[in-house]
């Protein structure tokens, strides 16, 4: 299932899909299947146009981010779960540093809460999600990251084997039971929260959604946008990937509902 999902995404993301359509158009043109060639070219052009020069991706991502609002800081906090995806695992494994990617806000927000609530425990769930499996995951990085800012290692609970969001939840459930922890905050990117909450609910894990790492300003509208094709493409890719996950997990019976709220 893990390898299959990776392969589906490699070929299903917008720019890869556009490339495959162009390839089909070229091959169809060479063997004189003119209609197929024209249709494939038109579809590739449409995919590229929507991805690069419209706000469709931003709008879809905003919908995911707005599904769960972040509550006010609680009066007290005993535990929090942060899902991996914030560190550049390939770079850190090679250079032995603490480099963050666009999802690094997950750990910045966790650090803020850890310093505000010094008695709270921090469960970091995240192994190596690559197909090779040779890199250090986020749980390992966290053991270096948090002590740099005065958070003792003894407060950390590490789950370092999960490769997917589903494995995050399954492995976390066992650790929560063994550590006697419950009613934790669930910290992850806003766009990733609906799928994460759906999986945790399905497994009967009681959590409080705590979204962070927002990529949109909350005021996106469907429109043309020729000014920032790179951002548009990134957000479209992220939104489509998350919807792939929501639909796939729902039909696989891994989430409580198609679009949790």
């Amino acid at each position: 299932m893990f390898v299959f999902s990776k392969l589906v995404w490699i070929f299903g993301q917008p720019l890869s899909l556009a490339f495959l359509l162009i390839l089909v158009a070229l091959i169809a043109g060479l063997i004189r299947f003119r209609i197929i060639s024209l249709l494939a070219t038109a579809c590739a052009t449409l995919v590229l146009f929507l991805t690069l020069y419209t706000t469709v991706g931003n709008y879809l991502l905003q919908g995911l981010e707005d599904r769960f609002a972040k509550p006010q800081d609680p009066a007290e906090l005993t535990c929090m779960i942060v899902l991996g995806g914030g560190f550049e695992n390939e770079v850190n494994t090679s250079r032995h540093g603490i480099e963050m990617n666009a999802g690094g806000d997950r750990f910045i927000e966790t650090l803020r809460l850890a310093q505000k609530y010094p008695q709270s425990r921090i469960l970091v769930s995240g192994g190596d999600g690559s197909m090779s499996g040779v890199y250090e995951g986020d749980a390992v990085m966290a053991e270096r990251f948090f002590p740099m800012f005065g958070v003792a290692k003894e407060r950390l609970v590490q789950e370092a084997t999960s490769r997917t969001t589903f494995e995050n939840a399954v492995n976390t459930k066992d650790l929560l039971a063994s550590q006697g922890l419950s009613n934790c905050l669930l910290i992850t990117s806003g766009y990733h929260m609906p799928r994460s909450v759906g999986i945790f609910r399905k497994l009967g894990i009681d959590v409080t959604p705590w979204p962070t790492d927002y990529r949109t300003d909350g005021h996106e509208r469907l429109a043309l946008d020729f000014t920032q094709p790179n951002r548009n493409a990134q957000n479209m890719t992220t939104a489509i990937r998350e919807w792939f996950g929501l639909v796939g997990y729902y039909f696989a019976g891994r989430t409580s509902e198609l679009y949790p709220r």
Side-chain angles (χ1 to χ4, degrees):
M1 184 67 177
F2 171 72
V3 175
F4 175 75
S5 65
K6 289 288 186 181
L7 291 175
V8 168
W9 178 239
I10 286 173
F11 297 108
Q13 54 189 291
L15 296 183
S16 293
L17 180 59
F19 171 78
L20 290 176
L21 288 168
I22 292 170
L23 186 62
V24 169
L26 289 173
I27 295 173
L30 289 173
I31 59 179
R32 301 184 185 281
F33 286 179
R34 182 175 175 80
I35 294 179
I36 294 177
S37 180
L38 289 173
L39 285 174
T41 300
C43 289
T45 302
L46 180 61
V47 169
L48 287 173
F49 179 76
L50 291 175
T51 300
L52 296 172
Y53 301 119
T54 74
T55 61
V56 170
N58 306 329
Y59 187 76
L60 291 174
L61 199 64
Q62 179 177 267
L64 291 163
E65 291 181 338
D66 290 346
R67 201 67 174 170
F68 288 90
K70 182 186 293 185
Q72 297 293 320
D73 284 3
E76 58 182 33
L77 179 64
T78 58
C79 65
M80 48 190 140
I81 303 163
V82 55
L83 302 186
F87 293 106
E88 289 287 357
N89 294 335
E90 295 90 340
V91 175
N92 291 331
T93 301
S94 176
R95 296 183 179 275
H96 310 292
I98 305 290
E99 301 297 333
M100 290 184 164
N101 58 30
D105 284 354
R106 301 182 188 189
F107 287 88
I108 299 300
E109 178 66 3
T110 303
L111 175 62
R112 181 187 75 83
L113 293 169
Q115 293 177 332
K116 182 173 182 178
Y117 304 96
Q119 303 305 315
S120 61
R121 302 289 302 282
I122 308 161
L123 193 156
V124 183
S125 179
D128 178 12
S130 70
M131 292 183 68
S132 65
V134 299
Y135 303 112
E136 295 176 332
D138 285 50
V140 175
M141 299 299 168
E143 190 176 25
R144 300 206 297 267
F145 172 75
F146 285 108
M148 293 173 63
F149 299 93
V151 178
K153 288 184 181 180
E154 291 72 27
R155 294 175 61 187
L156 301 178
V157 180
Q158 294 168 280
E159 187 285 294
T161 61
S162 59
R163 303 168 298 172
T164 65
T165 306
F166 179 70
E167 292 180 1
N168 284 149
V170 170
N171 298 344
T172 292
K173 183 176 183 178
D174 295 336
L175 276 176
L176 290 175
S178 66
Q179 296 289 324
L181 301 174
S182 61
N183 300 312
C184 302
L185 300 187
L186 178 62
I187 302 171
T188 189
S189 302
Y191 67 83
H192 187 235
M193 189 60 74
R195 180 158 57 109
S196 302
V197 168
I199 298 168
F200 275 75
R201 283 178 181 169
K202 183 75 173 183
L203 293 173
I205 306 171
D206 190 17
V207 293
T208 298
W210 201 268
T212 187
D213 178 33
Y214 292 98
R215 311 290 175 89
T216 66
D217 61 11
H219 304 287
E220 297 286 352
R221 297 290 184 270
L222 292 175
L224 299 177
D225 180 11
F226 297 97
T227 65
Q228 44 191 356
N230 185 57
R231 175 179 181 264
N232 294 338
Q234 287 179 334
N235 285 348
M236 175 72 92
T237 301
T238 301
I240 294 298
R241 181 182 63 199
E242 204 54 39
W243 269 105
F244 268 35
L246 280 165
V247 173
Y249 276 22
Y250 177 72
F251 284 106
R254 292 182 168 183
T255 59
S256 59
E257 51 189 317
L258 176 61
Y259 197 20
R261 66 182 311 156

